[in-house]
Amino acid sequence: MTDPIASPATSAPSVWDIHQPVGRRSLALAAAGALIGLAIAGYGLFTAQGTRTAIVPAEDAALINNVPLLRADMIAQVTALYGVPYAQATPAQRHNVLEDMIREELYVQRGVEMGLTNDDTDVRAALIQATEGQIAQDAMTAKPAEDELVRWYAGHKDRYAGEGMIALHEWIAPRGSDAAQAVAALRRGATAQWLGLKTSGRVDDGDEFYFAAEEHLGKALFTLVRRLPDGAVSDPVAAPDGVHIVQVVANRPPQPTPYAKARDQVLNDFLADKVARLQDGNRTFLKKRADIKIASDLQ
């Protein structure tokens, strides 16, 4: 039997009930405030400058600080630069063109920040040149010390050497023959005709410049033979058309130009390298601070 005096059943009290203790109500309000704060922080994180979460319109290749780079312009530039239809361009070619377009737009916007105007295509080109020119001017202002130039020369001596000359014979060993045995015989003085080797016809025309010999032999084979002295015979080198053997008739390697004679060119190269490094740093800075959004299919 139910006790008539017993209190009726009641639901659990709400934390929002003003009649509840102050401590419980304060805890609930604090939790709600934390959740709201997390939501605001999350929104800020995914819409912050420099992120790529926003959707790029279909007609655009990218947005640079909300300035569109048109996909049609990118397609036209890829076709003009590489001479192939856009559909046949490689991802690397498309990437290079897009990076150039981004760089130009960043430079244009930087030029506007510097107080220059942006009206038409010619003006945009002038803005890019002006921005790059300012960097070059900054690089040229401080003249390098002599010891800096000497260190640069020491680290890049190959740039200041004359062109080498070399005379070669090249043969192709018959398929199935022992090319290593043929090399050994040539080194002992045997003739190619006696060994049944046929000439390749690529280099048997007397002295030629290093760059020409490299063009004829290919980089890998020329790198091997350029270090050989007069009269030396290379090890056999396998290739799709057979096994190649090269003999050096005469090798006159490039001779470095003395620093005193090369100094003017050293100075120009040193400053050009400094400008290039400053421009790379400037591009990195501009890209880092910009809001760049790239179409998903071009990322």
Side-chain angles (χ1 to χ4, degrees), residues 177-198:
S177 65
D178 190 335
Q181 207 171 53
V183 167
L186 286 168
R187 289 171 176 170
R188 291 194 301 267
T191 65
Q193 290 79 4
W194 184 80
L195 294 169
L197 301 176
K198 64 176 183 178

Side-chain angles (χ1 to χ4, degrees), residues 78-252:
V78 168
T79 302
L81 182 61
Y82 296 107
V84 296
Y86 181 78
Q88 297 177 17
T90 66
Q93 290 171 335
R94 298 177 188 182
H95 174 77
N96 290 340
V97 169
L98 181 57
E99 282 295 310
D100 283 344
M101 292 176 67
I102 291 173
R103 176 187 64 83
E104 291 178 1
E105 181 57 37
L106 288 171
Y107 276 21
V108 167
Q109 294 183 18
R110 176 56 179 159
V112 172
E113 287 181 1
M114 295 163 58
L116 304 174
T117 57
N118 174 20
D119 295 332
D120 55 32
T121 302
D122 291 338
V123 173
R124 286 176 62 86
L127 278 169
I128 296 168
Q129 292 177 0
T131 304
E132 291 180 335
Q134 183 61 50
I135 297 171
Q137 183 177 352
D138 293 341
M140 299 292 186
T141 299
K143 295 297 182 183
E146 198 67 22
D147 60 337
E148 289 183 282
L149 295 179
V150 171
R151 286 196 300 272
W152 170 268
Y153 169 80
H156 302 83
K157 275 190 175 182
D158 56 322
R159 293 191 183 188
Y160 310 106
E163 186 59 54
M165 298 287 293
I166 195 167
L168 303 166
H169 290 314
E170 183 188 29
W171 303 285
I172 300 178
R175 293 188 181 278
S177 65
D178 190 335
Q181 207 171 53
V183 167
L186 286 168
R187 289 171 176 170
R188 291 194 301 267
T191 65
Q193 290 79 4
W194 184 80
L195 294 169
L197 301 176
K198 64 176 183 178
T199 181
S200 69
R202 298 195 299 180
V203 291
D204 293 83
D205 52 1
D207 288 348
E208 58 184 346
F209 289 114
Y210 266 36
F211 71 84
E214 181 175 351
E215 179 71 21
H216 295 151
L217 293 178
K219 186 174 182 63
L221 185 53
F222 179 73
T223 299
L224 172 66
V225 303
R226 69 175 295 172
R227 297 189 293 266
L228 298 178
D230 295 358
V233 178
S234 74
D235 291 333
V237 178
D241 60 339
V243 179
H244 290 242
I245 302 169
V246 180
Q247 182 178 39
V248 177
V249 179
N251 188 0
R252 295 185 293 280

Side-chain angles (χ1 to χ4, degrees), residues 49 63-67 106 109 286 289-293:
Q49 190 175 42
L63 297 175
I64 312 299
N65 295 322
N66 289 325
V67 176
L106 288 171
Q109 294 183 18
L286 292 176
R289 72 167 190 168
D291 179 17
I292 300 175
K293 302 180 181 71

